[in-house]
């Protein structure tokens, strides 16, 4: 392993200053250190964020929504009373994510900014498009875990995080501190390969994700998360669905359906959400919405199974919400 410097930042301002070109932020390290060992991420300096105060915990303030600090660990999220009360979908989404050990170290910011799991991307021997090469090896190669929708760009990676779809279903916003403070929709933190930019996230050099905010209005929704894995633990989603809506008299309103594991970015088709909004819910309506979500699917050599799988998960999630 090449030598590198390690610095503990005491404040967001210091971390931002240290995160010059050639440096990387590290929180729990559960993703970054693996990439470092595989020579995929080779920063000259790691800037440890974990000693920065004020970036941990979950707090609900009326009028300001629910705020989740970026350095909160995933286990702390699962144990948070504020989340159990106002955003139980998070516990559901994390129940089958990684392992207890990884969730004890892994943080909200790290989970939202983790890199994809494509084996060609994670192997330094393959100069894939995302790493600056000319081709996507997975498009023609081994692609059982890759995307079936949104694959028109240069990369067929699958979106890995379980937390992000659950938070996007509640219109989550993220605040980034850095040269300039900004707040953006969490959904906009992810770069669609169709834009032909060789990046997964829109975070810029020197930026630190400080917190996630869920607006008050979204907290009126009921939510559910369903995930299919190829084994019962330690496994990323083959497909996952976060669904949320206000439910009354058998009707779903203000609907959000966000899929993970099937596209390079969290996948939403707003037309499918509008289709069921305010209508008496039925299995037929759920199936029609699922069909619409997957209408542009283009299976690769090994992953056609994801299309019926995702449709079935959407149907189950919506039926669960309506019940
Ligand atoms: C075997 C295994 C199975 C897994 N299974 C799942 C799963 O099923 N579902 C799932 O969702 N995840 C899964 N994961 C991923 C795991 O949840 C992430 O590795 C973890 O959440 C990352 O958090 P971290 O704090 O360790 O991030 P780090 O490794 O410290 O950082 C990850 C990235 O985020 C950046 N970063 C971190 N925090 C900030 C911040 N505040 N501001 C700016 N940049 C930041 C780092 O620079 C780095 O690029 C799995 C991981 C492993 C190894």
């Amino acid at each position: 392993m090449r030598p590198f410097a390690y610095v503990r930042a005491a404040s967001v301002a210091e971390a931002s200053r240290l995160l010059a070109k050639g440096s990387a932020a590290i929180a729990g390290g559960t993703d970054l250190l693996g990439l470092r060992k595989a020579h995929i991420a080779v920063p000259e300096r790691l800037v440890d964020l974990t000693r920065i105060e004020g970036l941990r915990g979950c707090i609900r303030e009326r009028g300001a929504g629910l705020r989740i600090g970026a350095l909160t660990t995933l286990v702390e999220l699962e144990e948070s009373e504020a989340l159990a009360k106002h955003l139980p979908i998070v516990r559901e989404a994390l129940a089958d994510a990684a392992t207890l050990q990884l969730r004890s170290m892994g943080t909200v910011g790290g989970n939202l900014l983790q890199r994809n799991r494509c084996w060609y991307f994670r192997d330094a021997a393959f100069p894939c498009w995302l790493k600056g090469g000319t081709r996507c090896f997975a498009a023609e190669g081994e692609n059982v875990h890759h995307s079936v929708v949104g694959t028109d760009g240069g990369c067929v990676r699958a979106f890995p995080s379980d937390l992000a779809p659950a938070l996007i279903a509640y219109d989550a916003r993220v605040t980034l501190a850095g040269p300039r403070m900004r707040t953006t929709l969490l959904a906009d933190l992810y770069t669609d390969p169709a834009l032909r930019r060789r990046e997964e996230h829109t975070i810029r050099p020197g930026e630190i994700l400080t917190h996630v905010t869920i607006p008050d209005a979204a907290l009126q929704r009921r939510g559910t998360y369903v995930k299919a894995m190829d084994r019962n633990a330690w496994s990323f989603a083959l497909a996952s669905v976060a669904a949320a809506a206000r439910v009354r008299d058998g009707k779903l309103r203000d609907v959000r359906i966000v899929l993970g594991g099937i596209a390079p970015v969290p996948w939403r088709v707003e037309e499918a959400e509008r289709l069921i909004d305010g209508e008496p819910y039925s299995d037929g309506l759920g199936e029609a919405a699922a069909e619409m979500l997957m209408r542009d699917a283009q299976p690769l050599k090994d992953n056609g199974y994801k299309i019926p799988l995702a449709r079935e998960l959407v149907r189950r999630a919506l039926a669960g919400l309506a019940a």
Side-chain angles (χ1 to χ4, degrees):
M1 190 184 280
R2 269 196 253 153
F4 59 91
Y6 169 83
V7 195
R8 276 192 185 131
S11 67
V12 170
E14 188 191 8
S16 170
R17 229 177 11 257
L18 290 166
L19 281 173
K21 214 163 183 266
S23 302
I26 181 163
T30 59
D31 189 36
L32 186 61
L33 292 180
L35 291 165
R36 167 99 217 173
K37 283 191 234 161
H39 307 287
I40 306 303
V42 283
E44 286 157 18
R45 178 164 59 191
L46 292 183
V47 181
D48 186 339
L49 307 178
T50 55
R51 297 290 165 94
I52 302 176
E53 294 201 0
L55 302 187
R56 268 198 141 91
C58 310
I59 158 166
R60 167 91 200 270
E61 277 175 32
R62 263 186 209 291
L66 178 74
R67 179 186 164 120
I68 306 171
L71 290 180
T72 313
T73 66
L74 303 182
V75 161
E76 284 165 352
L77 280 192
E78 292 171 83
E79 291 173 350
S80 158
E81 282 179 22
L83 252 66
K85 185 165 170 214
H86 300 296
L87 203 60
I89 193 173
V90 166
R91 191 179 285 178
E92 234 182 308
L94 293 178
D96 287 325
T99 59
L100 182 58
Q101 290 89 337
L102 287 161
R103 297 200 302 275
S104 300
M105 292 298 291
T107 62
V108 170
N111 186 278
L112 299 179
L113 289 165
Q114 63 178 291
R115 309 295 305 268
N116 77 86
R117 307 303 298 189
C118 172
W119 34 65
Y120 298 104
F121 168 72
R122 286 189 175 246
D123 186 334
F126 290 93
C128 77
W129 176 82
L130 187 58
K131 290 182 290 192
T134 52
R135 55 184 281 226
C136 173
F137 291 89
E140 307 284 318
E142 301 290 316
N143 46 38
V144 69
H145 286 162
H146 293 70
S147 287
V148 286
V149 281
T151 51
D152 298 340
C155 176
V156 299
R157 65 182 185 260
F159 188 74
S161 162
D162 285 311
L163 185 57
L167 295 177
I168 291 171
Y170 282 79
D171 304 341
R173 296 183 152 263
V174 285
T175 298
L176 299 143
R180 199 169 58 83
M181 186 93 153
R182 66 183 175 107
T183 296
T184 179
L185 284 173
L186 171 58
D188 292 340
L189 190 63
Y190 302 110
T191 305
D192 187 332
L195 298 173
R196 307 295 296 170
R197 290 209 303 262
R198 296 171 203 258
E199 61 182 29
E200 287 154 275
H201 311 109
T202 56
I203 189 161
R204 295 288 159 242
E207 285 190 327
I208 292 141
L209 201 162
T210 58
H211 59 274
V212 177
T213 311
I214 308 293
D216 279 326
L219 294 172
Q220 309 304 316
R221 295 177 199 147
R222 182 194 291 179
T224 187
Y225 189 83
V226 290
K227 173 179 179 180
M229 303 184 283
D230 57 5
R231 53 175 190 246
N232 278 339
W234 271 59
S235 203
F236 288 86
L238 298 172
S240 67
V241 179
R246 284 185 289 117
V247 186
R248 203 161 165 200
D249 301 332
K251 294 178 184 167
L252 308 185
R253 292 184 198 277
D254 203 13
V255 183
R256 300 287 183 279
I257 310 167
V258 189
L259 279 73
I262 56 138
V265 294
W267 188 252
R268 252 183 97 187
V269 173
E270 289 179 30
E271 209 183 326
E273 297 168 358
R274 282 196 296 272
L275 181 77
I276 48 183
D277 207 310
E279 296 294 324
Y281 188 76
S282 65
D283 279 346
L285 205 55
E287 277 160 25
E291 200 62 44
M292 209 171 254
L293 273 150
M294 301 307 291
R295 71 182 163 200
D296 295 328
Q298 289 179 316
L300 302 168
K301 174 170 66 70
D302 306 321
N303 70 359
Y305 72 96
K306 284 199 178 191
I307 299 171
L309 179 64
R311 276 197 209 115
E312 174 59 16
L313 292 186
V314 170
R315 203 195 57 73
R316 280 189 206 177
L318 292 174
L321 264 192

